[in-house]
């Protein structure tokens, strides 16, 4: 297992941490994490903040790791399997406005920003325009005041 960090090109590529396991690789984009804690609650043997590296994909079956990664509403956690298959997008695409204005979007997405286009399956978009990580929410503005209630997301 490795814990690699890919340094971004300014204003182009996000900083990703990559965690390789047998059968699955999990990537983590810290700037996108909104601390919904779906990962640490869903599979604490794999996602353990007290360990280094904090993501240990070999601690569970790849399909179970993938299932928990898909619970991450922001898309900060992503995966691809050893056969190079990636997460299938939800169909149909769904958009849910949180009470504080954030948009939780799941589906086959193309997100355009000053850094270019990114193909996504899960995002939380800023609803107030104050995010320093536009168009993604980063908890820096008034629209990020609430917690996630994902009970009806699953």
């Amino acid at each position: 297992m490795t814990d690699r960090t890919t340094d971004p090109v300014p204003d182009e590529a996000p900083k990703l941490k990559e965690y390789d396991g047998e059968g699955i690789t999990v990537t983590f984009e810290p700037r996108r994490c909104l601390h919904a804690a779906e990962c640490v609650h869903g599979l604490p043997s794999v996602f353990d903040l007290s360990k280094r590296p904090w993501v240990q994909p070999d601690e569970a079956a790849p399909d179970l790791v993938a299932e928990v990664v898909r619970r991450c509403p922001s898309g900060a956690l992503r995966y691809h399997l050893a056969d190079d298959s990636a997460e299938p997008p939800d169909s149909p695409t769904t958009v849910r406005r949180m009470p504080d204005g954030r948009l939780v979007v799941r589906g086959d997405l193309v997100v355009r920003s000053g850094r270019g286009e990114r193909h996504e399956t899960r995002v939380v978009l800023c609803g107030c325009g104050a995010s320093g990580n536009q168009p993604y929410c980063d908890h820096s503005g008034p629209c990020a005041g609430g917690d996630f209630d994902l009970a009806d997301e699953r």
Side-chain angles (χ1 to χ4, degrees), residues 4-44:
R4 298 191 298 265
T5 300
T6 306
D7 291 327
V9 175
D11 295 326
E12 289 183 20
K15 181 179 178 182
L16 296 176
K17 294 184 178 186
E18 193 170 275
Y19 305 93
D20 292 327
E22 285 294 321
I24 191 167
T25 297
V26 176
T27 59
F28 176 60
E29 186 177 341
R31 284 187 66 183
R32 296 259 304 270
C33 183
L34 298 177
H35 308 290
E38 290 292 314
C39 56
V40 296
H41 294 304
L43 205 50

Side-chain angles (χ1 to χ4, degrees), residues 91-108:
S91 182
T93 296
T94 60
V95 179
R96 178 176 170 219
R97 180 172 291 280
M98 302 291 287
D100 57 21
R102 293 177 288 175
L103 297 172
V104 179
V105 187
R106 298 179 74 98
D108 188 8

Side-chain angles (χ1 to χ4, degrees), residues 57-124:
D58 287 333
E59 293 298 318
D63 59 332
L64 187 54
V65 174
E67 176 190 323
V68 171
V69 167
R70 286 191 298 268
R71 294 180 196 172
C72 174
S74 69
L77 287 171
R78 297 170 73 166
Y79 71 89
H80 63 271
L81 299 172
D83 65 4
D84 282 332
S85 62
E87 175 181 346
D90 287 5
S91 182
T93 296
T94 60
V95 179
R96 178 176 170 219
R97 180 172 291 280
M98 302 291 287
D100 57 21
R102 293 177 288 175
L103 297 172
V104 179
V105 187
R106 298 179 74 98
D108 188 8
L109 313 171
V110 176
V111 178
R112 292 182 179 96
S113 72
R115 293 180 296 270
E117 283 187 358
R118 289 184 69 181
H119 292 272
E120 305 275 6
T121 56
R122 294 168 282 114
V123 296
V124 176

